[in-house]
């Protein structure tokens, strides 16, 4: 397994927490085959997990910044949906929709910078074809509405970049601590997969499975927040 391939650095703590529950339960059994898995090893793992968790909690991010990614993607999805109407007008006017498709692809891939650049060009083109597009059903205010959403997305993307830079700096300044935690995660994961090969329990030690579980849990949590 290549380091960090399955986990982002900000996922080390939740992944370690998932894994720790299984390791605590199985440690004595694992120790019959992997002698380093002593109570001291468990305590050291827990201490390192707690140390990195404190680092994560030290991030100075405002409440507005915390919700910016979800808000950014909501705006992105709204633009993507609205572009379906523009595609309809283009087709009725016998205009190629390739430029719209390119923007929608960037939006789907969450390539926000690319989408913004392509939207600038697309809106300029729409303006040049305004008369024929309005004749095919486009409202006079439609381009301005898309442009307003694009500007909103640009502001939110800038805020997201600030948050990402804060996280990158934290990770860069404390790389050694994150590496030490990952070493525990990797070692326990590899041992568990060998020990429980052929058993359902093995899945609890597979990092890809752990990542899927915690990301699903995060999505459910975020969805609940949006509903309320």
């Amino acid at each position: 397994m290549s380091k960090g391939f399955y986990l982002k650095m900000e996922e080390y703590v939740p992944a370690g927490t998932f894994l720790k529950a299984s390791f605590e339960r199985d440690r004595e059994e694992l120790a019959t085959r992997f002698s380093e898995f002593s109570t001291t090893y468990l305590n050291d793992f827990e201490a390192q997990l707690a140390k990195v968790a404190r680092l994560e909690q030290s991030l100075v991010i405002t409440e507005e910044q915390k919700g910016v990614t979800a808000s950014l993607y909501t705006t992105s999805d709204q633009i993507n949906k609205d572009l379906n109407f523009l595609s309809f007008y283009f087709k009725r006017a016998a205009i190629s929709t390739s430029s719209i498709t390119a923007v929608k692809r960037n939006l789907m891939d969450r390539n926000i910078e690319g989408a913004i650049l392509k939207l600038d060009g697309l809106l300029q083109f729409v303006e040049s074809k305004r008369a024929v597009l309005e004749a095919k059903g486009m409202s006079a205010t439609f381009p301005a509405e898309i442009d307003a959403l694009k500007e909103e997305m640009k502001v939110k993307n800038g805020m997201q970049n600030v948050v990402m830079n804060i996280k990158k700096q934290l990770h860069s300044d404390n790389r050694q601590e994150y590496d030490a935690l990952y070493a525990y995660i990797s070692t326990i994961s590899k041992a568990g997969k060998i020990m429980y090969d052929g058993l359902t329990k093995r899945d609890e030690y597979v990092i890809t499975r752990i990542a899927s579980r915690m990301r699903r849990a995060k999505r459910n949590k975020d969805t609940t927040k949006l509903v309320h």
Side-chain angles (χ1 to χ4, degrees), residues 3-82:
K3 182 173 179 181
F5 182 78
Y6 299 123
L7 295 175
K8 300 173 184 176
M9 291 183 75
E10 61 264 30
E11 294 177 328
Y12 286 10
V13 170
T17 302
F18 270 102
L19 188 61
K20 183 171 77 74
S22 300
F23 183 60
E24 283 180 314
R25 180 195 64 210
D26 301 328
R27 187 196 61 77
E28 290 185 7
E29 185 176 28
L30 285 162
T32 63
R33 291 289 188 144
F34 306 96
S35 60
E36 69 179 300
F37 290 160
S38 61
T39 54
T40 299
Y41 186 94
L42 171 59
N43 292 337
D44 290 344
F45 172 36
E46 290 178 330
Q48 190 61 34
L49 183 60
K51 185 183 293 185
V52 176
R54 286 193 296 272
L55 287 171
E56 289 287 312
Q57 291 165 3
S58 72
L59 280 171
V60 181
I61 299 175
T62 67
E63 287 302 314
E64 185 178 16
Q65 288 171 331
K66 287 178 183 177
V68 71
T69 298
S71 180
L72 170 63
Y73 291 163
T74 296
T75 303
S76 170
D77 290 343
Q78 183 59 55
I79 293 175
N80 201 345
K81 182 178 179 180
D82 286 349

Side-chain angles (χ1 to χ4, degrees), residues 141-161:
T141 60
F142 186 78
E145 291 165 3
I146 293 288
D147 188 57
L149 284 172
K150 181 205 71 178
E151 290 302 313
E152 179 182 329
M153 187 168 65
K154 187 184 295 185
V155 170
K156 291 176 179 177
N157 188 59
M159 290 177 65
Q160 185 190 48
N161 286 339

Side-chain angles (χ1 to χ4, degrees), residues 8 11 15 23 32 34 44 46 57 78 80 84 87 91 97-98 115 117 121-122 130 134 150 163 196 209-210 213:
K8 300 173 184 176
E11 294 177 328
F23 183 60
T32 63
F34 306 96
D44 290 344
E46 290 178 330
Q57 291 165 3
Q78 183 59 55
N80 201 345
N84 291 332
S87 182
K91 289 175 182 177
T97 59
S98 60
L117 286 173
L122 176 60
R130 175 183 286 273
E134 287 184 7
K150 181 205 71 178
V163 173
Y196 302 114
R209 301 270 186 178
I210 294 171
R213 284 170 59 201

